[in-house]
């Protein structure tokens, strides 16, 4: 039997806050969860099937927060593929910024990044940003040249998601487990973003926000001479 939950103005306000966080329109939200336009402005109770639809289409939402207001707006996200699985200070009792053994592609590629302590065999010692950085990775490709050239190491810090992105800046972004170094731009479609290369020979890439696994801020670049 379908249960109904009374919807007061606070729950409506929380849904509107979530919609704003997702950078989508109310009508787009209505469409995604399978209800008609104006639903939120008219509804006085909400069925469990609608709650299920919201969770199915927006699995990141914290249902406890939605119903009660307790906790955070989003669920606590699990560690992503680009995050190391334990504090980097403990790797082999050595201190430094762990270097992910796979290379990032300044263009586009299709491999997965999965980092565990046993995979780390190289560290960068950069005292100024040592405590801020999560990992470093080596660049391949020329789509972000001349600033980011092949062979350069980028030192990165994971951010919580698209809401922390400053548009038009360069980030290391994992889309469907493919790492790319790109400038991030908003799109006219609230469900997508635009990834742009500095090299004009490369075309823009439009990706779904739901396909983003993780995003990392670039703290510094280092080029090591042979």
């Amino acid at each position: 039997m379908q249960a109904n939950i009374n919807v007061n103005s606070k729950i409506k306000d929380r849904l509107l806050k979530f919609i704003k966080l997702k950078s989508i329109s109310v009508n787009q939200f209505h469409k995604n969860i399978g209800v008609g336009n104006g639903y939120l402005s008219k509804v006085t109770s909400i069925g469990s099937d609608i709650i299920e639809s919201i969770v199915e289409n927006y699995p990141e939402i914290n249902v406890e927060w939605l119903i009660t207001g307790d906790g955070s707006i989003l669920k606590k996200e699990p560690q992503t593929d680009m995050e190391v699985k334990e504090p980097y200070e403990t790797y082999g009792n050595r201190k430094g910024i762990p270097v992910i053994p796979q290379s990032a592609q300044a263009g586009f590629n299709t491999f997965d990044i999965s980092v565990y302590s046993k995979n780390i065999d190289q560290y960068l010692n950069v005292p100024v940003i040592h405590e801020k950085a999560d990992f470093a990775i080596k660049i391949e490709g020329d789509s972000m040249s001349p600033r980011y050239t092949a062979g350069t190491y980028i030192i990165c810090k994971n951010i919580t998601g698209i809401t922390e992105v400053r548009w038009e800046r360069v980030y290391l972004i994992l889309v469907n487990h493919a790492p790319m170094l790109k400038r991030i731009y908003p799109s006219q479609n609230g469900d997508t973003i635009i990834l742009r290369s500095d090299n004009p020979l490369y075309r823009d890439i439009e990706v779904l926000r739901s396909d983003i696994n993780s995003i990392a801020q670039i703290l510094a670049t280092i080029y090591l001479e042979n």
Side-chain angles (χ1 to χ4, degrees):
M1 178 181 295
Q2 176 181 311
N4 287 331
I5 300 172
N6 289 333
V7 177
N8 57 33
S9 60
K10 290 184 179 180
I11 290 182
K12 291 182 181 180
D13 288 344
R14 285 194 283 273
L15 276 174
L16 292 172
K17 184 176 181 180
F18 175 75
I19 290 168
K20 183 178 180 180
L21 177 67
K22 296 294 293 182
S23 299
I24 61 175
S25 67
V26 175
N27 286 345
Q28 182 64 51
F29 177 77
H30 288 155
K31 180 179 179 181
N32 290 346
I33 67 171
V35 298
N37 289 342
Y39 176 82
L40 283 180
S41 63
K42 300 174 183 177
V43 68
T44 57
S45 66
I46 184 169
S48 57
D49 57 332
I50 301 299
I51 293 290
E52 290 175 1
S53 180
I54 293 172
V55 174
E56 180 180 352
N57 287 279
Y58 299 98
E60 68 274 27
I61 194 170
N62 182 348
V63 178
E64 181 181 3
W65 169 85
L66 176 61
I67 301 301
T68 68
D70 294 334
S72 59
I73 187 169
L74 301 178
K75 293 179 181 177
K76 184 177 179 181
E77 296 182 358
Q79 289 179 311
T80 64
D81 289 341
M82 282 183 5
E83 292 179 301
V84 294
K85 307 304 179 182
E86 56 183 84
Y88 59 77
E89 288 85 358
T90 67
Y91 289 121
N93 296 319
R94 300 168 62 189
K95 290 189 176 181
I97 302 169
V99 179
I100 291 180
Q102 297 92 339
S103 295
Q105 188 77 4
F108 185 87
N109 95 24
T110 57
F111 57 72
D112 288 348
I113 293 179
S114 184
V115 182
Y116 298 88
S117 59
K118 65 182 179 180
N119 300 127
I120 304 297
D121 57 10
Q122 185 179 5
Y123 300 80
L124 294 177
N125 186 5
V126 188
V128 176
I129 56 174
H130 174 85
E131 295 182 357
K132 297 180 181 179
D134 289 317
F135 63 90
I137 193 167
K138 189 177 182 180
I139 297 172
E140 294 178 353
D142 64 350
S143 74
M144 295 303 291
S145 63
R147 180 174 181 182
Y148 300 93
T149 57
T152 300
Y153 287 86
I154 53 174
I155 299 175
C156 304
K157 176 180 176 60
N158 290 309
I159 62 176
T160 58
I162 198 69
T163 55
E164 287 193 32
V165 165
R166 299 180 67 178
W167 301 121
E168 302 183 18
R169 291 199 174 188
V170 177
Y171 292 86
L172 181 65
I173 182 169
L174 204 68
V175 180
N176 288 326
H177 303 285
M180 293 177 281
L181 188 66
K182 298 290 183 183
R183 293 191 186 276
I184 300 181
Y185 291 78
S187 71
Q188 294 182 347
N189 180 352
D191 292 332
T192 64
I193 60 171
I194 303 296
L195 305 182
R196 182 165 298 165
S197 302
D198 285 353
N199 187 333
L201 295 178
Y202 289 78
R203 62 179 178 81
D204 288 353
I205 302 171
E206 186 171 8
V207 299
L208 289 169
R209 294 183 182 221
S210 58
D211 287 339
I212 298 171
N213 306 112
S214 61
I215 304 175
Q217 176 186 356
I218 312 302
L219 299 179
T221 59
I222 296 177
Y223 185 80
L224 302 180
E225 294 288 349
N226 293 328

